[in-house]
């Protein structure tokens, strides 16, 4: 068991931190699930943190110079490398503390990337940082495509989804591959803490972020983040989709603590995937056959996850 | 007290990094840079140097890690060559404008394809415009001295820019030379501790690396360029104080038997040593040849070069880099623009030599000078010639 979790106090609706470390006035679209998730994560972490961010929507919308939405130290270097930048910061602080050049006080280090930054271009950098065991948290804000560049598919784009580079047509039905299991890849690095979260379950999300920060060594959190602009969904329905994705078992919530899978929310009576898919333009073209295939794979993946939680 | 030892140049350079008491070393292996990082990993492992040696997964990761480390206020060093330098390339353009004083040793090597581990300057010339201060060492002693100079200049608050010391792969990095290693007390006298103006610190939050909207992008680029140009003063001051303390004077442009020369060879890096021998040979034959060596490549010391070139009528500029499809090599092009329409400017001919480890012998330098003399009489079709290429 992880000793740091013993002193961990869960957030409750009553005791949520009031301070906004990611200030309002940023330029995200209405109903943006990414910025919402990020705001909650920042509330959970508090002031004592350094944020390293990948190029992407969140970087662009929070820092059009001379403005910044960040009330904590924040750095952006490039698209694929926030995990390496975090490695550098963590190493620097370790040695500077040892040499008595900075305060001994612990500072949390957070790296943030979108699904493109995480599952595609930055995967090797993240793998390196996990393998080296730096004490930091990596959050993937997964809106299931490269949104900042105009909705191109990533390897986290769900099967069948329409993007500008996976368009449905006479010879295509949209994204042809199944979503890459990035949390599984993180687990394979034997890091102490991995979790999935959705902003609809905000207390769960915040508690997971806090635990990730408390843990010594690398932690990974994969956060499902609705993007009305990229998905063709109503901005006011973002939270609803963030809930439906869990209730349909499409995006199960779980933790993996030192290799042990723990279901955060068991979905005993799942809603059909169709309920989640409808209302999003990116899935509108899918026929029954494809939807049936999605249902079948969602069932299989969920069962596998339950088996893992029973086995470990 | 300084001690004079016979030592491999890579190790001497790494000893300078150790004496600089560097804090973080993200490193990834590539020939011919490996001996530097191997030695550093050894001195960290046996407790001679208290530093974090970060075993990154690639050079791109190494430079990204350097940016984070420097932003957090740590003295940061890395080293690379050729393919490794190019894998970093995206990130190399970032610490300049962000004002991170990362120090790097580039052990110059040819670029693929075809793959070659041997020496030339194609790697660093492909990264010419990354906005770092760049110097070139000719000897082991220079490699050691310039390394200490690099930390001192880069971290000076008036500068706050990344800096590269170039050394030639194998022909310099792997040879054993007599080098005077300074003692810790001597180095401490010269190199103050790193005190960054800004660092990532939750007590004083700042945003580093925001979006450069069109209203600000040009200003940001110009500010960086101005800082790079203004760094020359501190570079010179750093060399002057080095000379005052340790008696070895470095200059942005160095000359050898150039005073009354009609033809000047222009070189960079370790081939300058052979060029000096060639000059002696030519002088013995009564030829008025001399040598100009470029030590400071960025910011380019224009006035110093013009002064060094003096009244010479012909420059035979040696480039260790072939710029495909270009008018001439990068050093040749630089000097052509420097002298464009300057009254009494010398005629400039460009020789591409020593690609991928091809030896540049005394005879080759004589050949370049002879050819330059002929070209001065009859302008050649092309502004450059690749020296010593086999026809068959
Ligand atoms: C090396 C490199 N390749 C491509 C890009 C272009 N680019 C910038 S952001 C981005 C998409 C980001 O997608 P994601 O990581 O999913 O974040 P999102 O914008 O969706 O939040 C791309 C492709 C870049 N900046 N750098
Ligand atoms: S495009 Fe999507 S992720 Fe980006 S700011 Fe808009 S809603 Fe948020
Ligand atoms: Mg995305």
């Amino acid at each position: 068991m992880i000793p740091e979790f013993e002193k961990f106090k869960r957030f409750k609706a009553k005791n949520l931190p009031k301070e906004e470390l990611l200030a309002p006035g940023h330029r995200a679209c209405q109903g943006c699930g990414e910025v919402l998730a990020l705001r909650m994560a920042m509330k959970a972490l508090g002031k004592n943190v350094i944020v390293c961010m990948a190029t992407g929507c969140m970087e662009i919308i929070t820092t059009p110079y001379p403005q910044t939405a960040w009330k904590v130290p924040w750095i952006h270097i490039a698209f694929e490398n926030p995990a390496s930048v975090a490695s550098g910061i963590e190493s620097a602080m370790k040695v500077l503390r040892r040499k008595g050049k900075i305060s001994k006080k612990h500072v949390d280090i957070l790296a943030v990337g979108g699904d493109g930054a995480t599952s595609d271009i930055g995967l090797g950098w993240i793998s390196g940082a996990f393998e080296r065991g730096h004490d930091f948290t990596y959050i993937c804000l997964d809106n299931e495509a490269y949104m900042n560049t105009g909705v191109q598919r990533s390897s986290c784009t769900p099967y069948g989804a329409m993007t500008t580079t996976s368009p449905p047509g006479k010879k295509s039905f949209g994204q042809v591959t199944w979503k890459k299991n990035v949390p599984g890849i993180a687990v394979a690095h034997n890091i102490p803490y991995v979790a999935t979260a959705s902003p609809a379950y905000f207390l769960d999300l915040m508690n997971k972020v806090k635990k990730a920060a408390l843990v010594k060594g690398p932690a990974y959190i994969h956060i499902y983040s609705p993007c009305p602009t990229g998905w063709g969904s109503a901005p006011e329905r973002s939270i609803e989709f963030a809930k439906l994705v869990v209730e349909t078992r499409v995006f199960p919530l779980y933790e993996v603590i030192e290799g042990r899978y723990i279901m955060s929310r068991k979905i005993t009576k799942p809603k059909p995937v169709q309920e989640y898919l409808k209302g999003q333009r990116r899935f509108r073209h899918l026929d029954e056959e494809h939807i049936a295939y999605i249902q079948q794979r969602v069932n299989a993946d969920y069962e596998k996850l339950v088996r893992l939680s029973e086995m470990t | 007290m300084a001690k004079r030892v016979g030592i491999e140049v890579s190790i001497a350079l790494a000893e300078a990094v150790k004496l600089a008491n560097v804090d973080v070393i993200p490193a990834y292996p590539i020939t011919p840079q490996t001996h530097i990082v191997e030695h550093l990993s050894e001195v960290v492992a046996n407790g001679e140097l208290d530093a974090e040696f970060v075993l990154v997964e690639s050079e791109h990761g190494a430079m990204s890690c350097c940016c984070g480390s420097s932003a957090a206020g740590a003295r940061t060093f890395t080293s690379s060559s050729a393919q490794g330098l190019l894998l970093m390339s995206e990130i190399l353009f970032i610490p300049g404008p962000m004002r991170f004083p990362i120090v790097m040793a580039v052990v110059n090597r040819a670029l693929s394809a075809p793959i070659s581990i041997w020496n030339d300057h194609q790697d660093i010339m492909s990264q010419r415009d990354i906005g770092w201060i760049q110097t070139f060492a000719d000897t082991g002693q220079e490699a050691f001295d310039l390394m200490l100079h690099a930390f001192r200049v880069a971290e000076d608050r008036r500068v706050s820019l990344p800096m590269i010391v170039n050394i030639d792969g194998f022909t310099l990095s792997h040879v054993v030379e007599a080098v005077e290693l300074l003692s810790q007390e001597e180095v401490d006298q010269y190199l103050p501790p790193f005190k960054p103006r800004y660092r990532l610190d939750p007590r004083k939050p700042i945003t580093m690396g925001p979006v450069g909207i069109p209203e600000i992008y040009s200003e940001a680029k110009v500010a960086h360029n101005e800082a790079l140009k203004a760094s020359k003063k501190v570079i010179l001051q750093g060399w002057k104080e080095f000379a005052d303390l340790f008696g070895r004077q470095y200059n942005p442009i160095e000359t050898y038997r150039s005073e009354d020369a009609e033809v000047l060879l222009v070189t960079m890096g370790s081939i300058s040593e052979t060029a000096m021998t060639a000059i002696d040979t030519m002088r013995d034959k009564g030829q008025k040849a001399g040598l100009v060596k470029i030590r400071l490549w960025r910011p380019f010391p224009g006035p110093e070069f013009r002064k060094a070139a003096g009244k010479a009528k012909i420059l035979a500029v040696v480039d260790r880099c072939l710029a495909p499809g270009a008018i001439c090599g990068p050093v040749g092009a630089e000097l052509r623009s420097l002298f464009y329409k300057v009254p009494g400017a010398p005629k400039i001919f460009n020789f591409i030599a020593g690609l991928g480890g091809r030896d540049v012998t005394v005879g080759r330098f004589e050949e370049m000078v002879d050819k330059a003399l002929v070209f001065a009489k009859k302008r050649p079709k092309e502004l450059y010639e690749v020296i010593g290429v086999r026809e068959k």
Side-chain angles (χ1 to χ4, degrees), chain A residues 47-50 59-60 63-66 68 70-81 84-85 87-89 91-96 98-99 101-103 107 124-125 128-129 132 134, chain B residues 21-24 49-52 54-58 60-61 64-65 67-69 71-74 90-91 94 98 100 193 199-213 216:
Chain A
K47 273 184 192 173
N48 193 35
V49 66
I50 295 172
E59 167 256 338
I60 298 289
T63 68
Y65 186 88
T68 177
W70 291 97
K71 293 190 182 172
V72 295
W74 179 95
I75 184 169
H76 162 252
I77 298 292
F79 183 25
E80 59 292 86
N81 64 0
S84 307
V85 177
S87 306
I89 295 170
S91 305
M93 297 191 86
K94 216 152 105 188
V95 63
L96 293 177
R98 204 158 66 220
K99 290 181 176 178
K101 290 184 183 170
I102 57 169
S103 134
V107 173
W125 287 247
R132 292 189 297 271
H134 296 284
Chain B
N21 193 14
V22 66
D23 298 312
V24 179
L49 171 65
D50 184 7
E52 285 295 309
V54 192
L55 298 148
V56 284
E57 70 296 329
S58 73
H60 192 291
S64 305
C65 189
C67 288
S69 157
E90 184 206 7
I91 308 305
I94 294 171
M98 287 186 75
F100 298 147
R199 63 151 53 108
L200 293 167
D201 178 357
R203 285 173 310 177
K204 283 192 208 144
I206 56 167
T207 293
M208 288 187 179
V211 179
I213 54 172
I216 205 74

Side-chain angles (χ1 to χ4, degrees), chain B residues 180-257:
Chain B
E180 190 179 293
L181 302 178
L182 298 175
S183 68
Q184 191 64 62
E185 296 76 54
E186 285 169 318
V187 170
D188 293 347
Q189 241 183 313
Y190 179 66
L191 181 61
F194 175 33
K195 293 210 175 97
R197 193 189 296 251
Y198 304 105
R199 63 151 53 108
L200 293 167
D201 178 357
R203 285 173 310 177
K204 283 192 208 144
I206 56 167
T207 293
M208 288 187 179
V211 179
I213 54 172
E215 288 76 5
I216 205 74
Y217 186 84
S218 300
E219 285 71 15
K221 294 315 256 187
V222 169
H224 166 227
N225 188 37
E226 291 301 319
L228 186 58
K229 289 193 286 182
S231 70
K232 197 168 90 183
K233 217 175 101 183
V234 183
I235 295 168
L236 299 183
Q237 207 179 328
W239 276 332
K240 169 145 196 329
E241 259 176 68
F242 193 91
D244 292 345
L245 284 170
F246 313 120
R248 287 186 292 277
Q249 173 70 53
Y250 293 101
N251 299 297
I253 303 293
E254 310 272 6
T255 54
Y256 181 70
R257 301 184 78 170

